[in-house]
Structure formats: structure tokens, C-alpha cells
Amino acid sequence: MANTKWQFFAAKALSGQRLTLEEGLSVLEADNDEVLLIMNAAFTVRRHFYGKKVKLNMIINAKSGLCPEDCGYCSQSIVSTAPVSKYTMLDKETLVAGAREAMARKAGTYCIVAAGKGPTEKELNQVVDAVKEIRETMPLKICACLGILKEDQAERLAEAGVHRYNHNLNTSKANYPSITTTHTYDQRVETVEKVKMHGMSPCSGVIIGMGETHQEIVEMAFALRELDADSIPINFLNAIPGTPLEHAGRTSSMKALKVLALFRLVCPSKEIRVAGGREVNLRTLQPLSLYAANSLFVGDYLTTAGQEVSADHQIIEDLGFEIELNAL
């Protein structure tokens, strides 16, 4: 009977119908004995849209530790005492070298990420110059994540050849003031809409484990469906000593799988990426995540270490899945 219920959710997703709030909650609150059946339902949807292909993404931390924002989860924020590297925007040569490393790791998308409220003109120029050279010399897709954009900045990035722009919602609208006070949830939404308007693919996701309720997790999935984000990174908080959220507990591996399944069922055709914190939250269950997600970050994150790239390649091979090269 339970399997019929989860497969009904899969059929509903494939027909274009959105799960109800109650149905979404039932995924998150299901007994752990149901997890494999839930993942099977998620895989029914994932396989329909993406087969067994896995998209790989690589991040470069293009500017570190100098952020004026007060985001409680971030080691680079102004309120953090975590010992992180501090440097201004990397030069063009270093950003281009990072793209070559992404190619070596079989990543199809190279993500240029800089902490801050938004880029200065000098910083934007450095990114634009690097993007142009990468586009001319490598078959990579490029994603930029530089904070809140002005209209002309979005236009310049699109003209330079940026394929995708990331600006995460991070948490629910109701939970937002408890996470940061230096910008608003609505400003995040406005930036994603601006990105879409200028022809870049919108990427926006969440961080699970920041005090949100189950209902708020479902609401986040609904918000991203409404926003029509093409790519949805699902991060699981990696609580860093020295940040306001340093004492937050980890998300259990089984709950993390249910969250990934929920986002697949609510946003069936979208790229669902298991992102930051997967190593410390999913732990040995990481391979199961790819039955719902179809995308991974490979290598290190912004200020935390990922696992060996060879381990990710091995997971994909052992599952009988395949890397989708040069995929957006």
C-alpha cells in the first residue's frame, strides 16, 4: 500500500501536478522503513527526465572571507570568527586555470563564486574577462554566483557568455530574518528574476538544517517550483565553528534522502544537485542520493573540503550511471 502511495506521487509529478502541502509533509515525515520506496518513486521521475546521467559541477572560491553580510551559516561573513583565507577577487589567469581543473575533473559546469552583497565594477570586469577567455578556449558551461546584481551587471555577464547564475533562496521566507539581516528574501527572488530576464539560466537552492520546520522545507520546494529555477542545489548545513550556527546539529542521512526525494517530486524536470554538506550529512548513504538528484559538486566547496574527485567518479560508476560531459 505504501509503495502505491509513493508511486502515485511519482505519477502525479510526471503528469505536471504539484504535490499538496500534506503530501509533501508525508514524504518528510515518513518512517525510515519507507525510504527505499520513496527513493524508488523519486528515481521513477529522475529517470524519466535524466536517465542515468549525472551532471558534475566544480566551484572556485573567487573571493574569500571579506563579506559584509551577516549570514549565520557562512564562515566568510562579517560575524564569523572561523579561520578562513581572506583574499580579493582572483585574477583572470587564476580563474581560467580553475576552468582547466574543472575540465580535468570531468565537470561540465564551472562555478565562479564570490562572497559579498554584490560585485564591484572592478570585480565584475575581472570575471567578465575570465569568462570570455574560458568561452573561447574550453567547452565548459559557466555559472556565476556574485551576489545581488544590478540590471547592467546582469546584462554584462550574459553578454560575456555566462550560461547560468546562482542565487540561492537558502531558507524559507518566514525563517529568513533568523539567518541574515543584511538583505531580504525578496531581494534574492528579485535577483533570480533579473537573471531570467537577461537570458541566463536561473540556479537557486536551499540549505537544510538551519532551524526550519518540515512545512517550511515543503514551502521552499514550492517557492523554487514557482520561481522556475532550472537548477536547484540542495545544501545540508555543515556547521562551522565560529559561525552563529556552529551548534546546529547535522541532518540525519535518512532525512537528507527524504528531502532530496521531495524536491525531485515537487520540481520533477529540474536539475536537483546534492551540494554542500553532503559528505558530513549523507555520509555512507551518498550513493543513494543520486536516485533523486542528477547532479553533484566535485572537489572542495567554498571554505570546506569535499571528498576526493575519484570517489565521486567511483560512486557514479558503481551505480551504473554515467557522467554527462559538458552538460548545463
Side-chain angles (χ1 to χ4, degrees):
M1 181 69 70
N3 191 35
T4 303
K5 172 183 178 179
W6 308 126
Q7 286 298 328
F8 169 73
F9 288 3
K12 193 171 181 179
L14 288 171
S15 71
Q17 300 177 69
R18 197 195 74 177
L19 299 190
T20 65
L21 175 61
E22 291 71 23
E23 289 169 338
L25 284 170
S26 75
V27 173
L28 296 178
E29 295 171 358
D31 190 277
N32 285 344
D33 290 348
E34 299 289 310
V35 164
L36 286 181
L37 296 175
I38 293 169
M39 295 307 290
N40 183 48
F43 183 59
T44 299
V45 180
R46 182 241 202 269
R47 183 173 53 196
H48 175 84
F49 289 102
Y50 296 101
K52 293 184 176 181
K53 293 184 176 179
V54 181
K55 302 172 190 285
L56 299 183
N57 303 255
M58 192 196 95
I59 290 175
I60 187 167
N61 192 5
K63 173 188 169 188
S64 182
L66 299 168
C67 185
E69 303 268 48
D70 66 356
C71 305
Y73 54 83
C74 183
S75 60
Q76 300 183 76
S77 80
I78 196 167
V79 296
S80 168
T81 59
V84 299
S85 298
K86 292 180 171 62
Y87 53 82
T88 56
M89 185 70 74
L90 297 174
D91 60 29
K92 182 180 81 169
E93 289 70 27
T94 306
L95 293 176
V96 173
R100 287 193 288 270
E101 177 61 26
M103 292 283 292
R105 295 180 186 186
K106 301 182 181 179
T109 301
Y110 176 52
C111 308
I112 300 172
V113 183
K117 189 150 194 172
T120 65
E121 285 309 295
K122 181 181 178 182
E123 290 168 346
L124 193 76
N125 289 338
Q126 287 171 252
V127 172
V128 163
D129 288 347
V131 168
K132 287 178 178 177
E133 182 165 332
I134 295 165
R135 287 297 308 271
E136 289 171 1
T137 58
M138 285 171 256
L140 272 175
K141 308 297 184 185
I142 302 171
C143 177
C145 177
L146 309 173
I148 294 169
L149 292 179
K150 299 172 185 173
E151 208 71 55
D152 64 308
Q153 292 177 326
E155 185 176 359
R156 287 192 62 202
L157 288 171
E159 287 176 350
V162 171
H163 297 87
R164 174 171 286 167
Y165 195 84
N166 167 262
H167 203 53
N168 292 332
L169 296 186
N170 286 328
T171 194
S172 69
K173 188 168 186 175
N175 195 40
Y176 218 83
S178 70
I179 302 303
T180 182
T181 64
T182 47
H183 64 267
T184 67
Y185 178 93
D186 288 340
Q187 283 178 298
R188 292 247 162 187
V189 172
E190 286 163 12
T191 293
V192 177
E193 294 292 359
K194 200 172 291 179
V195 164
K196 289 158 63 176
M197 187 172 66
H198 286 280
M200 289 182 284
S201 171
C203 173
S204 189
V206 298
I207 305 172
I208 301 297
M210 301 198 296
E212 71 284 342
T213 65
H214 282 177
Q215 179 166 328
E216 285 173 327
I217 294 174
V218 179
E219 289 170 353
M220 289 183 231
F222 288 176
L224 288 165
R225 178 186 172 108
E226 183 69 23
L227 199 54
D228 201 25
D230 291 333
S231 179
I232 302 174
I234 310 295
N235 300 277
F236 298 97
L237 181 69
N238 184 354
I240 300 172
T243 63
L245 290 176
E246 65 180 338
H247 299 300
R250 64 176 283 273
T251 299
S252 74
S253 303
M254 297 296 264
K255 180 178 177 180
L257 290 175
K258 293 175 200 173
V259 168
L260 290 165
L262 170 72
F263 276 81
R264 172 56 67 205
L265 293 168
V266 172
C267 304
S269 67
K270 303 303 187 180
E271 175 185 342
I272 305 295
R273 186 183 319 139
V274 56
R278 66 177 164 96
E279 297 86 353
V280 297
N281 289 275
L282 282 158
R283 299 201 291 215
T284 59
L285 298 189
Q286 285 185 74
L288 287 177
S289 68
L290 288 176
Y291 284 96
N294 65 297
S295 180
L296 290 174
F297 278 119
V298 286
D300 296 338
Y301 301 96
L302 295 175
T303 62
T304 57
Q307 65 187 20
E308 288 294 322
V309 176
S310 59
D312 289 327
H313 290 174
Q314 192 66 62
I315 285 173
I316 294 166
E317 181 182 329
D318 290 349
L319 287 170
F321 289 9
E322 62 176 305
I323 296 169
E324 185 176 355
L325 298 174
N326 308 126
L328 184 62

